[in-house]
Amino acid sequence: MATRMEPWRYSTNILQMFKMAGRAQSCVQSKRYLLPSGPIALPLIILALAKGHRINTTFPLSSTGPAILQLVQISALTFANGGDNDIKYVFFEASTISGILHASMYLDAVILPYYTGFDALVKSTFSGECPSCVCRNEDLVVGGTLVSYTGWSLTTFLVVGTLCWRVVCRLYGRKLGSFILIRPLLERSSWILIIIDCVYLTTNSPPERLMLRVAAFGGILVLICLCVIRELCTCITQLHSVYKSRTADVCNRSKMEMTK
C-alpha cells in the first residue's frame, strides 16, 4: 500500500507547491498596489494635492509636495505595474500616467503661489510712503524667479514618455527593431532629471521648515542611490551570465574540435 500511495503523495506536494507559488505571486502583486504609483496610494496623493490649500497648514505640502511627486515618479520608473495580460498592463500604466500628470498639475497650484509670495517677500522693499507700501525693481511673475521648479516640467513629461514607451514595447516587442533601444535612453534621462531636480530643490528651496525639507529630499536621494545600486547589480549579473554562456560555448566548441 505504501508503494501505491507514493505517486499520489508526489502529486499532492506538487499541487501544494503551485498553490504556495500562486499565493506568493498574489501577495507580491497586492503589495505593488500599495506603492506610491499604485492604484491605491496614487489617488490618495492626488486628493491630498488637490486639497493642498486646505491641508497646507497641518501638512506642509508647499515644502514636501515636490518630494512626494518625485517619490511617485521614482516608483513608476522602478516598479512596473503587474499584469498577466496586455490589457491589464495597459490599463494600469495609463492610470499611472494620468495620475502623474494630475499630481503635477495640482502640485503647481500649491507651490506656485508659495514661491510667488516668497519672491515678493525677498525682493520687495518698503517705499516709506506708508507702513504697507512696497516697491519692486522688476515685475512680479507667477512662481517668482528665486525658485524655478514646477511640477508640470520636462522631468514629468519625460517620465510620462518613458511609461508610454514601455507600453509600446510591451504591445509590439520585437516588431520595433532597433527602436526598442529608446527605452533605456528615456529611463536614464528621466533618472538624471529627477536627480537634478532633487539636488536643486535641496539647495534652492525657501528656508522655511529646513529640517523637514532636508529629511524629505535626503530620503529621496537615498532612495535614488538604492535604485542606482540595484540597476548596477542587475547589469553586473547580466554581464556575468553572458560571460558564463559565452565561456560555455567556447568550451563546447573546443571539445567538439578536439573530438574531430
Side-chain angles (χ1 to χ4, degrees), residues 131-149:
S132 60
C133 293
V134 295
C135 60
R136 290 179 57 88
N137 295 325
E138 57 185 10
D139 295 333
L140 184 63
V141 297
V142 177
T145 57
L146 295 176
V147 183
S148 61
Y149 175 81

Side-chain angles (χ1 to χ4, degrees), residues 139-258:
D139 295 333
L140 184 63
V141 297
V142 177
T145 57
L146 295 176
V147 183
S148 61
Y149 175 81
T150 57
W152 198 265
S153 62
L154 179 61
T155 305
T156 299
F157 287 110
L158 197 56
V159 171
V160 169
T162 302
L163 298 180
C164 292
W165 193 251
R166 282 182 181 178
V167 174
V168 174
C169 293
R170 174 68 179 263
L171 294 177
Y172 295 99
R174 296 180 179 178
K175 295 180 181 179
L176 296 174
S178 60
F179 287 101
I180 201 170
L181 298 177
I182 298 177
R183 175 178 172 177
L185 179 62
L186 290 174
E187 291 178 351
R188 288 179 176 85
S189 301
S190 300
W191 281 109
I192 291 172
L193 289 182
I194 291 174
I195 294 171
I196 292 174
D197 288 343
C198 188
V199 174
Y200 176 80
L201 289 170
T202 305
T203 57
N204 294 291
S205 294
E208 186 182 7
R209 297 184 178 92
L210 179 62
M211 295 304 297
L212 179 61
R213 188 181 77 245
V214 170
F217 292 107
I220 294 296
L221 286 175
V222 170
L223 186 60
I224 291 173
C225 291
L226 292 176
C227 293
V228 171
I229 292 173
R230 174 175 172 266
E231 291 295 327
L232 289 176
C233 293
T234 303
C235 292
I236 292 172
T237 305
Q238 290 177 353
L239 290 175
H240 180 66
S241 61
V242 170
Y243 174 76
K244 287 180 65 177
S245 62
R246 290 184 177 179
T247 304
D249 291 338
V250 171
C251 293
N252 292 330
R253 290 177 183 177
S254 61
K255 290 180 180 178
M256 292 177 64
E257 291 178 356
M258 291 176 63

Side-chain angles (χ1 to χ4, degrees), residues 89-164:
Y89 177 81
V90 171
F91 175 76
F92 281 120
E93 286 292 335
S95 62
T96 302
I97 292 169
S98 177
I100 290 175
L101 292 176
H102 280 83
S104 61
M105 181 178 62
Y106 291 133
L107 177 64
D108 284 342
V110 175
I111 63 174
L112 289 183
Y114 176 61
Y115 293 159
T116 304
F118 176 68
D119 184 84
L121 289 174
V122 172
K123 289 190 174 182
S124 300
T125 57
F126 290 99
S127 62
E129 297 180 359
C130 64
S132 60
C133 293
V134 295
C135 60
R136 290 179 57 88
N137 295 325
E138 57 185 10
D139 295 333
L140 184 63
V141 297
V142 177
T145 57
L146 295 176
V147 183
S148 61
Y149 175 81
T150 57
W152 198 265
S153 62
L154 179 61
T155 305
T156 299
F157 287 110
L158 197 56
V159 171
V160 169
T162 302
L163 298 180
C164 292

